[in-house]
């Protein structure tokens, strides 16, 4: 029913934008009952200000509810919960840093300004999205005014959601002011604009000759520890890293044994015998099945292929099964067969009352609403033409009021049961009153499709799962492996002896929730980041994602510059490149000493020759890619001058500046100024928060909690 969707959407819309604006959703129950050590309640610090776990937990509760209303999903997956929790930490940091900055700068949002953002001619996007008609998509300012006038009378939860939106608007305005202050504080002097213009338009007609590093095979290059050490000291600042870990692990799958399967098979057979004879099918299903009874009426083609033909061509009471589908024993029983329309059409006038939260402005009691609905029924029965008028003017379903009560076609079963049954069981043209959780509906039945055969099928499902004994047996195997491993050598020896498969998870970050093959691996990740851990430690047994796991901590990388040992394999090609460059430079210096030697020398050395016009601001050297240093050397040369060998990224080069072409004269640099200003403003919008984070002192203790 449009009303039902409308009500649900309206309650959700009051919080939708909070997620969009703040990414403010977080997993709550992980913090509710877990503390790292008794008495510790600080989840982190931002510039010395404590973030209490209790405060964080309160944000959790608010945002979890917002997420549920936003998506209409009462159950979040563990991975969704984890990602939500991570984004909330970012939200907390961003809010704290922003508020600290705007307070220092004296930026505020006045009461008048906030009111204009809510009720002004051009209200904030959050307001427009929250009070948009879900059917038409149109924003109606009158809805905002009406809501605010009755704010003290609305449901407390709805009022809190509105106040959350108001808070978000204020924070967004402060954020916008702060970023605009930065962006508009940038000034481009004419000299800077001219320099930018000259850099992009000053060009050199150049020749360049490259001796590629690939001309020397890696296998013939010998590098020493001293070579690695030298390269590491000169370049380690380029390889700053976040903390990460490598683990090796063995997963012990918990699968049902043959004994388990035999027992479940026998249980399924006994259940089937009872299922075929039970008189109370619904109670039997709800008491024995892994899934509750589904009363949906199914049309032909909508049942699983094993059942469809049988259920549509058999008498009521027919049973089928047990059969296995997706590792689940299933059995089915035909409960009822009816000829029912596939789609229904109706119009309605809703009369709601206090407590339903449909119309916050209503003051009617339930009894008064019933009397009003009966009165409307009498009027429209006496004069059917009055229905459209009253549906437009006296309808608490504001969406339906715009269509004079018309709900259009809807599928059989799509409405709440009382409403659906009233339309289904009545005749086209009938007008009746029915009560639902939203109030009293005066319903006019306006259409039905031709009836088709439908069936109601009861299903019992019994998952084929490992028994507690099987789980204990697998745990014993894993526990023995962990105990006997003791160290890396024992870990690898047992792997070979037992024939277990070893898996590797590299560069795990502390913010991850999964490792290859295992989605919910947070506990082993927390273990690997414990300050007590050392390389080679063997973990206890973890119960993760339906399996047991034992891990070996293979590598520890701390935040900052990695050690030479950690970088050695990665930088080896670069260290060899340095040795190749030394060799190539020496060879070039032997053959090419002056410009007169160039033509003969480059051929003798097998160097590749290129000619191009290159701008001073360019980074890429045609044919080679990024070669900033080579281009920089080129523009230090006078016209007709040749460089010494230049060590580049892809080759060692000789460059010749044949002619320097100055940028065309220009007096007006307005375009250049605008380009530089726009580029800076774009960066300010994108990078301001990250700059604050780099400057801030942030202490993150989340690993102690979850």
């Amino acid at each position: 029913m449009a009303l039902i969707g409308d009500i649900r959407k309206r309650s959700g819309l009051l919080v939708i934008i909070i997620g969009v604006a703040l990414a403010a959703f977080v997993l709550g129950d992980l913090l509710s009952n877990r503390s790292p050590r008794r008495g510790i309640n600080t989840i982190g610090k931002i510039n010395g200000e404590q973030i209490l776990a209790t405060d964080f937990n309160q944000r959790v509760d608010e945002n979890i509810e917002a997420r549920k209303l936003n998506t209409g999903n009462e159950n979040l997956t563990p991975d969704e919960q984890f990602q939500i929790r991570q984004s909330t930490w970012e939200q907390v940091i961003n809010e704290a840093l922003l508020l600290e900055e705007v307070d220092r700068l004296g930026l505020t949002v006045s009461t008048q300004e906030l009111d204009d953002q809510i009720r002004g001619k051009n209200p904030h996007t959050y307001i427009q999205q929250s009070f948009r008609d879900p059917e038409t998509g149109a924003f109606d300012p009158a809805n905002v005014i009406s809501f605010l006038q009755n704010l003290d009378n609305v449901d407390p939860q709805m009022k809190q959601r509105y106040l959350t939106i108001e808070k978000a608007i204020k924070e967004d305005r402060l954020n916008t002011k702060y970023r605009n202050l930065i962006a508009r504080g940038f000034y481009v002097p004419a000299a800077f604009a001219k320099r930018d213009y000259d850099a992009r338009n000053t060009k050199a007609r150049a020749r360049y000759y490259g001796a590629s590093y690939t001309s020397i095979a890696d296998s013939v290059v010998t590098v020493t520890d001293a070579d690695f050490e030298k390269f590491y000291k000169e370049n380690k600042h380029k390889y700053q890293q976040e903390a990460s870990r490598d683990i090796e692990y063995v997963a012990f799958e918990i699968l049902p044994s043959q004994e388990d399967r035999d027992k479940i098979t026998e249980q399924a057979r006994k259940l089937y015998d009872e299922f075929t004879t039970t008189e109370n099918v619904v109670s039997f299903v709800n008491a024995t099945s892994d899934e509750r009874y589904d009363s949906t009426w199914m049309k032909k083609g909508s049942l699983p292929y094993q059942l469809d033909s049988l259920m549509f061509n058999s008498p009521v009471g027919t049973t089928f099964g047990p059969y296995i589908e997706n590792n689940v024993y299933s059995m089915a029983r035909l409960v009822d067969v009816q000829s029912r329309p596939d789609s229904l059409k109706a119009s309605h006038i809703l009369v709601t009352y206090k407590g339903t939260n449909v119309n916050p402005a209503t003051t009617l009691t339930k009894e008064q609403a019933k009397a009003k609905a009966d009165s409307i029924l009498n009027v429209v029965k006496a004069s059917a033409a009055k229905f459209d008028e009253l549906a437009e003017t006296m309808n608490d379903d504001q969406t339906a009021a715009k269509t004079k009560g018309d709900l259009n076609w809807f599928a059989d079963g799509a409405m709440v049961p009382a409403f659906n049954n009233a339309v289904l069981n009545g005749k086209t043209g009938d007008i009746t009153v029915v009560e639902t959780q939203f109030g009293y509906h005066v319903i006019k039945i306006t259409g039905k499709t031709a009836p088709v055969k439908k069936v109601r099928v009861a299903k019992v499902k019994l998952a084929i799962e490992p028994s507690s004994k099987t789980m204990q047996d697998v745990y014993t195997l894993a526990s023995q492996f962990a105990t006997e491993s003791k160290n890396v050598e024992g870990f690898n020896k047992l792997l070979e002896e037992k024939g277990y498969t070893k898996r590797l998870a590299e560069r795990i970050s502390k913010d991850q929730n999964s490792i290859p093959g295992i989605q919910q691996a947070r506990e082993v990740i927390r273990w690997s980041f414990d300050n007590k851990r050392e390389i080679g430690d063997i973990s206890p047994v973890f119960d993760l994602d339906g399996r047991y796991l034992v891990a070996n901590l293979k590598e520890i990388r701390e935040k900052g510059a990695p050690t030479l040992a950690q970088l050695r394999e990665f930088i080896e090609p670069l260290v060899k490149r340095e040795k190749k460059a030394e060799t190539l430079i020496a060879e070039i210096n032997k053959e090419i000493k002056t410009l007169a030697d160039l033509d003969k020398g480059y051929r003798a050395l097998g160097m590749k020759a290129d000619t191009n016009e290159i701008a001073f601001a360019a980074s890429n050297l045609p044919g080679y890619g990024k070669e900033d240093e080579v281009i920089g050397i080129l523009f230090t040369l006078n016209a007709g001058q040749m460089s010494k060998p230049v060590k580049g990224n892809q080759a060692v080069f000789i460059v010749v500046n044949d002619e320097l072409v100055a940028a065309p004269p220009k007096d007006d640099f307005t375009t250049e100024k605008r380009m530089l200003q726009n580029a800076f403003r774009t960066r300010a919008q994108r990078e301001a928060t990250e700059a604050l984070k780099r400057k801030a002192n942030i202490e993150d203790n989340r690993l102690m909690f979850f």
Side-chain angles (χ1 to χ4, degrees):
M1 186 170 63
L3 165 72
I4 297 169
D6 186 41
I7 293 170
R8 289 177 178 168
K9 288 178 182 176
R10 284 185 183 277
S11 62
L13 278 169
L14 287 172
V15 294
I16 283 175
I17 194 60
I18 305 306
V20 176
L22 303 176
F25 307 124
V26 68
L27 172 62
D29 54 3
L30 288 183
L31 280 179
S32 299
N33 301 308
R34 179 178 293 177
S35 179
R37 291 195 301 273
R38 188 174 181 180
I40 294 179
N41 191 35
T42 303
I43 201 169
K45 292 182 181 180
I46 302 173
N47 288 336
E49 290 293 323
Q50 290 186 347
I51 307 299
L52 299 180
T54 48
D55 293 340
F56 193 79
N57 215 18
Q58 184 176 351
R59 178 71 66 88
V60 167
D61 294 337
E62 294 170 358
N63 292 333
I64 279 291
E65 289 306 310
R67 177 61 177 265
K68 289 177 179 178
L69 287 167
N70 183 23
T71 61
N73 183 9
E74 283 295 317
N75 299 307
L76 303 179
T77 67
D79 191 56
E80 284 176 327
Q81 294 170 347
F82 180 79
Q83 295 304 325
I84 288 166
R85 185 181 67 209
Q86 299 303 97
S87 65
T88 300
W89 174 249
E90 291 301 310
Q91 173 201 350
V92 169
I93 293 174
N94 293 345
E95 285 182 3
L97 295 178
L98 173 65
L99 293 176
E100 185 178 285
E101 283 294 293
V102 299
D103 183 62
R104 183 174 63 84
L105 294 168
L107 298 178
T108 61
V109 177
S110 68
T111 302
Q112 182 178 353
E113 182 182 1
L114 182 60
D115 187 68
D116 185 62
Q117 289 288 302
I118 296 170
R119 296 191 288 189
K121 293 181 179 180
N122 186 27
H124 196 283
T125 306
Y126 300 174
I127 292 294
Q128 293 189 39
Q129 293 186 356
S130 298
F131 289 89
R132 183 173 291 158
D133 189 307
E135 297 295 329
T136 66
F139 167 67
D140 187 354
N143 288 340
V144 181
I145 303 299
S146 175
F147 180 84
L148 292 176
Q149 287 174 343
N150 294 279
L151 186 60
D152 291 335
N153 299 320
V154 303
D155 177 74
Q157 283 189 330
M158 188 175 291
K159 180 177 180 179
Q160 184 56 49
R161 291 171 197 142
Y162 167 75
L163 294 176
T164 302
I165 292 176
E166 190 175 280
K167 178 175 179 286
I169 291 172
K170 186 174 181 179
E171 290 177 354
D172 182 65
R173 288 296 299 160
L174 287 172
N175 190 27
T176 299
K177 288 184 176 184
Y178 177 68
R179 293 176 187 274
N180 286 343
L181 186 66
I182 297 172
R184 298 187 183 281
F186 182 70
Y187 171 70
V188 181
F192 281 25
K194 182 179 185 304
R195 186 178 68 175
D196 179 70
Y197 170 78
D198 288 342
R200 287 185 291 104
N201 292 280
T202 299
K203 299 178 181 179
R205 294 192 177 102
R207 285 174 286 153
Y208 47 99
Y209 305 81
S212 174
Y213 296 129
T214 58
S215 63
I216 302 176
D218 284 355
S219 59
V220 302
V221 179
T222 302
V223 290
T224 65
D225 290 342
D227 294 325
F228 277 98
E229 188 69 36
K230 179 175 182 293
F231 184 91
Y232 173 74
K233 287 181 177 179
E234 293 174 353
N235 295 280
K236 65 180 180 180
H237 64 281
K238 299 177 183 178
Y239 300 99
Q240 296 295 306
Q241 64 184 12
E242 294 297 320
S244 67
R245 302 289 186 264
D246 291 352
I247 62 169
E248 297 174 323
Y249 62 96
V250 180
F252 295 81
E253 301 291 340
I254 309 173
L255 301 174
S257 66
Q258 187 57 50
E259 182 181 355
D260 295 335
R261 290 181 175 276
D262 292 342
K263 287 183 177 180
I264 293 171
T265 298
E266 182 60 26
Q267 182 183 355
R269 288 172 180 164
K270 288 181 179 179
L271 276 177
Y272 182 72
D273 290 341
E274 296 178 43
F275 186 46
T276 60
T277 59
T278 184
E279 294 183 1
N280 194 331
V281 177
V282 175
S283 295
F284 183 85
V285 171
N286 289 336
T288 61
S289 176
D290 291 341
E291 296 180 6
R292 293 188 64 79
Y293 175 73
D294 183 358
S295 61
T296 303
W297 288 95
M298 312 296 289
K299 60 183 179 180
K300 190 164 181 57
S302 59
L303 288 169
Y305 73 92
Q306 302 100 321
L307 300 176
D308 200 72
S309 179
L310 176 66
M311 294 298 156
F312 276 89
N313 294 282
S314 302
V316 171
T318 298
T319 56
F320 178 75
Y323 62 95
I324 296 177
E325 183 179 31
N326 297 324
N327 214 34
V328 174
Y329 268 113
S330 296
M331 56 196 80
R333 176 169 165 173
L334 182 58
V335 176
D336 199 358
V337 179
Q338 288 186 11
S339 182
R340 299 168 65 98
D342 200 40
S343 297
L344 307 169
K345 189 179 183 184
S347 296
H348 85 139
I349 302 168
L350 173 67
V351 182
T352 189
Y353 50 86
K354 289 178 66 175
T356 60
N357 297 326
V358 174
N359 180 4
T362 189
T363 59
L364 295 181
T365 64
K366 182 176 181 180
E367 293 74 17
Q368 290 170 331
K370 176 67 166 65
K372 182 178 178 180
D374 289 340
S375 176
I376 293 173
L377 176 65
N378 291 333
V379 171
V380 296
K381 276 192 170 183
S383 176
K386 289 277 190 180
F387 191 97
D388 288 356
E389 177 186 340
L390 296 180
E392 186 175 22
T393 59
M394 299 187 68
N395 204 334
D396 283 324
D397 180 354
Q398 294 301 310
T399 301
K402 295 175 182 179
T403 59
K404 297 181 179 180
D406 185 12
L407 300 176
N408 214 327
W409 289 98
F410 53 88
D412 176 25
M415 301 303 179
V416 291
F419 192 103
N420 193 91
N421 290 338
V423 180
L424 180 71
N425 297 328
K427 296 181 295 183
T428 300
D430 282 356
I431 302 176
T432 186
V433 170
V434 66
E435 181 186 0
T436 73
Q437 61 264 46
F438 302 110
Y440 292 93
H441 307 257
V442 180
I443 302 172
K444 180 171 70 172
I445 304 170
T446 56
K448 298 182 183 183
T449 57
V452 295
K453 186 176 183 179
K454 291 186 177 182
V455 297
R456 183 177 273 171
V457 178
K459 297 178 185 176
V460 172
K461 293 183 178 292
L462 188 64
I464 302 174
E465 296 177 334
S467 65
S468 57
K469 179 180 180 301
T470 297
M471 295 174 69
Q472 183 59 47
D473 290 345
V474 177
Y475 179 83
T476 300
L477 284 176
S479 183
Q480 288 176 345
F481 180 86
T483 303
E484 295 173 11
S485 290
K486 295 182 181 178
N487 51 38
V488 178
E489 291 74 20
F491 183 88
N492 289 321
K493 182 180 178 182
L494 276 175
L495 280 174
E496 187 175 349
E497 288 178 359
K498 303 289 187 180
Y500 296 146
T501 300
K502 178 171 69 175
R503 302 181 183 181
L504 175 64
E506 296 182 290
R507 297 191 175 275
I508 300 168
S509 81
K510 64 180 181 180
D511 293 332
Q512 278 184 224
N513 191 44
S514 63
I515 58 178
I518 300 179
Q519 289 299 310
Q520 309 306 319
R522 187 62 185 166
E523 290 304 311
V524 71
I525 293 171
R526 291 184 66 207
W527 170 83
S528 70
F529 276 90
D530 191 310
N531 291 333
K532 300 175 184 177
R533 297 279 75 80
E534 297 179 354
I535 293 175
D537 280 0
I538 306 299
S539 78
V541 178
F542 293 104
D543 184 354
L544 303 173
D545 204 17
R547 69 200 76 187
Y548 297 119
L549 180 146
V550 178
N552 157 42
L553 185 55
K554 183 180 181 183
E555 184 62 87
I556 296 175
R557 299 180 192 84
E558 300 298 355
K559 184 176 182 178
T563 65
L564 174 56
Q566 290 170 341
L567 272 180
R568 190 178 180 97
E569 183 178 352
F570 180 79
I571 66 175
E572 184 175 359
L574 302 177
V575 176
K576 288 186 174 181
R577 189 184 72 178
E578 293 293 309
K579 301 296 286 187
K580 292 179 182 182
E582 292 175 8
T583 300
L584 292 171
I585 289 172
E587 291 177 354
I588 291 171
N589 282 332
K590 283 182 183 180
E591 297 292 332
I592 305 173
K593 295 182 173 61
T594 66
L595 194 58
D597 302 326
L598 184 57
D599 188 60
K600 180 180 178 182
Y602 96 82
R603 295 178 188 277
L605 293 169
M607 299 173 73
K608 179 175 175 285
D610 290 278
T611 301
N612 264 296
E613 189 173 79
I614 301 169
F616 177 75
S619 293
N620 289 338
L621 192 65
Y624 290 93
K626 192 170 179 62
E627 293 289 359
D628 300 273
E629 187 172 350
V630 177
I631 294 172
I633 293 293
L634 170 64
F635 279 89
T636 66
L637 304 175
N638 295 322
Q641 188 177 3
M642 180 186 77
S643 73
K644 293 180 179 180
V646 182
K647 181 176 65 177
N649 295 324
Q650 302 298 323
V652 173
F653 296 91
I654 292 285
V655 293
V656 179
N657 187 348
D658 286 325
E659 182 183 1
L660 190 65
V661 183
K666 185 176 181 180
D667 296 324
D668 183 5
F669 298 102
T670 303
T671 301
E672 286 72 23
K673 281 188 176 184
R674 187 181 301 112
M675 288 173 56
L676 290 173
Q677 286 173 337
N678 289 341
F680 179 84
R681 288 172 182 173
T682 299
R683 288 186 59 196
Q685 294 294 320
R686 185 178 64 247
E687 300 176 14
T689 302
E690 292 305 314
L692 289 176
K693 287 180 184 178
R694 289 193 295 270
K695 181 184 175 184
N697 181 14
I698 299 173
E699 181 181 316
D700 183 358
N701 299 327
R702 285 177 295 161
L703 275 173
M704 298 172 63
F705 290 81
F706 45 78

